[in-house]
Amino acid sequence: MDISEDEYAELRRLDRLRSDNSVLNAWLTIQHTEFPAWTEQAPGARGFSLDSLVRLEDLIRGRYGCRLR
């Protein structure tokens, strides 16, 4: 896909704006800090396999009462 120099410059400007988002950066810091405690409460819920997605879904549905419609 070809883009013009102006489009490329706009994409770079947007990337800089997104990477310097104080609200997002604060949220990411909190999530990073709290992740180890979360994994202790939900053993086996993380990973990159299909099975881990099923365990994560079960955890979320169990914790928040989500049901299929």
Side-chain angles (χ1 to χ4, degrees), residues 6-18:
D6 289 339
E7 290 169 325
Y8 182 73
E10 178 65 8
L11 290 173
R12 288 184 52 107
R13 184 185 74 77
L14 291 171
D15 281 345
R16 281 192 300 276
L17 285 173
R18 289 183 192 115

Side-chain angles (χ1 to χ4, degrees), residues 19-31:
S19 67
D20 192 26
N21 182 319
S22 61
V23 173
L24 176 59
N25 292 341
W27 182 85
L28 288 171
T29 299
I30 291 168
Q31 302 315 307

Side-chain angles (χ1 to χ4, degrees), residues 28-46:
L28 288 171
T29 299
I30 291 168
Q31 302 315 307
H32 180 58
T33 302
E34 294 181 356
F35 187 74
W38 180 82
T39 59
E40 287 179 16
Q41 295 173 12
R46 67 181 184 141

